[in-house]
Amino acid sequence: MEVFDRVTVVTVTWHSAEVIRDFLTACPPQVRVIVVDNASPDGTAALARHARPDAAVLEAPRNLGFGAGCNLGLSRVATEFVLLANPDARISACAIRELVAAADAWPEARLVAPVLRDGSGERVRSWNVAQPRRGALPRNRDGEPLSEGPFCADYVSGACLLLRPADGLRFDEAFFLFYEDDDLCARAGGALVVPAAEVAHGGGRSSPPTSGTRWRKARCMAWSRLRFTALHGGGEDAARREGARRLLHHAGKAAGHALTFQVPKVLTDLAGVAGTAAWLAGRR
């Protein structure tokens, strides 16, 4: 069977009109594509249909979040593999072949990921140790050598992931945005990284950088951090202690940025306060 007959590409969009056309154009014409649009107000769904008439475009009634959108797309996949990819990624035929070949060679790997390259063509460290262990390592580890062959990692970025739908691995839909890939990798027992498969990823270009988008991202980041801690970093008590520390952290940063009139940073800090407080109060 031709490799492209075994794979469906699924992408989740929200306010992604600027990037969806290039995403769909880059996808090999032989591969099936599903676009899950989270009620974009900018005509993303219509643009997707025009750019790729053979694509299945699913329009959610509201913004479901990234993980829930991926799960909706997964529910419509009939092929052996699904390649989940952000709309600011660029998927090549070579990358798909390399990922499927690795998945065939190591069938025990529940997640298989490429190496990402940023807009300038530089490799991005899109893999890492598990979240609870990262604090013990240097923040900048870009100088570490990259294995020439496939290797295992505790965590890989959710910007591009190959998996088998029949395996039953799905995103935790309580994570609206951020940490859903950490959680997925933790439940999958890590992932296989394939250096021969390279995917360009714009990073942060899936939606426009408006003040509203920045607020939502910062709020979700704070909320999701605590949910992940509760699930994988020591339990509810550890998450509540972390939440108390994060409230002081965000509030202190907001005060400091207010004194220097850095309004965008103040808004981001206040969004962090809001997300942290929401989790502590048992709200989304």
Side-chain angles (χ1 to χ4, degrees):
M1 181 183 292
E2 168 64 36
V3 65
F4 298 115
D5 294 330
R6 302 171 64 194
V7 181
T8 300
V9 174
V10 171
T11 191
V12 177
T13 58
W14 183 79
H15 223 301
S16 305
E18 289 190 10
V19 296
I20 190 60
R21 187 186 305 276
D22 289 343
F23 173 86
L24 293 171
T25 301
C27 286
Q30 312 97 309
V31 73
R32 297 173 179 86
V33 178
I34 296 175
V35 177
V36 180
D37 185 63
N38 271 331
S40 295
D42 64 348
T44 297
L47 283 171
R49 289 191 176 96
H50 184 265
R52 182 93 181 216
D54 64 322
V57 180
L58 310 180
E59 295 189 61
R62 65 185 187 284
N63 192 344
L64 303 175
F66 177 75
C70 285
N71 289 348
L72 177 58
L74 278 161
S75 72
R76 304 297 181 91
V77 171
T79 51
E80 180 183 0
F81 294 104
V82 60
L83 184 61
L84 302 173
N86 285 2
D88 56 355
R90 300 293 175 262
I91 310 299
S92 68
C94 178
I96 292 176
R97 289 192 181 96
E98 293 289 350
L99 290 170
V100 171
D104 286 340
W106 288 275
E108 68 277 10
R110 302 179 72 188
L111 296 173
V112 182
V115 169
L116 301 181
R117 287 188 179 272
D118 63 20
S120 63
E122 295 295 319
R123 275 179 171 165
V124 177
R125 189 181 179 84
S126 51
W127 64 92
N128 213 330
V129 299
Q131 181 71 234
R133 296 169 49 207
R134 289 177 205 168
L137 297 174
R139 294 192 65 174
N140 186 352
R141 297 163 57 207
D142 292 339
E144 293 182 3
L146 177 66
S147 171
E148 293 184 2
F151 62 93
C152 296
D154 294 330
Y155 161 83
V156 291
S157 168
C160 190
L161 286 174
L162 185 81
L163 57 92
R164 297 174 177 84
D167 184 35
L169 194 62
R170 298 293 185 271
F171 284 97
D172 180 345
E173 296 186 8
F175 291 98
F176 184 85
L177 190 64
F178 298 117
Y179 285 87
E180 67 282 296
D181 46 5
D182 286 277
D183 172 73
L184 190 75
C185 290
R187 288 187 285 111
L192 183 70
V193 182
V194 185
E198 294 188 337
V199 169
H201 178 231
R205 295 182 59 236
S206 295
S207 300
T210 64
S211 57
T213 299
R214 285 193 293 268
W215 173 277
R216 170 171 279 184
K217 285 184 174 182
R219 187 186 186 282
C220 288
M221 176 74 80
W223 190 96
S224 297
R225 182 197 305 271
L226 296 179
R227 176 169 176 80
F228 182 86
T229 300
L231 291 174
H232 304 287
E236 292 278 339
D237 289 342
R240 291 197 169 276
R241 290 192 297 271
E242 175 68 11
R245 289 193 293 269
R246 300 301 299 182
L247 274 179
L248 293 175
H249 169 79
H250 291 303
K253 287 182 67 178
H257 288 140
L259 290 173
T260 54
F261 303 103
Q262 298 183 69
V263 175
K265 290 185 177 181
V266 172
L267 291 175
T268 298
D269 299 328
L270 292 178
V273 170
T276 302
W279 189 89
L280 291 171
R283 296 182 284 106
R284 285 286 296 272

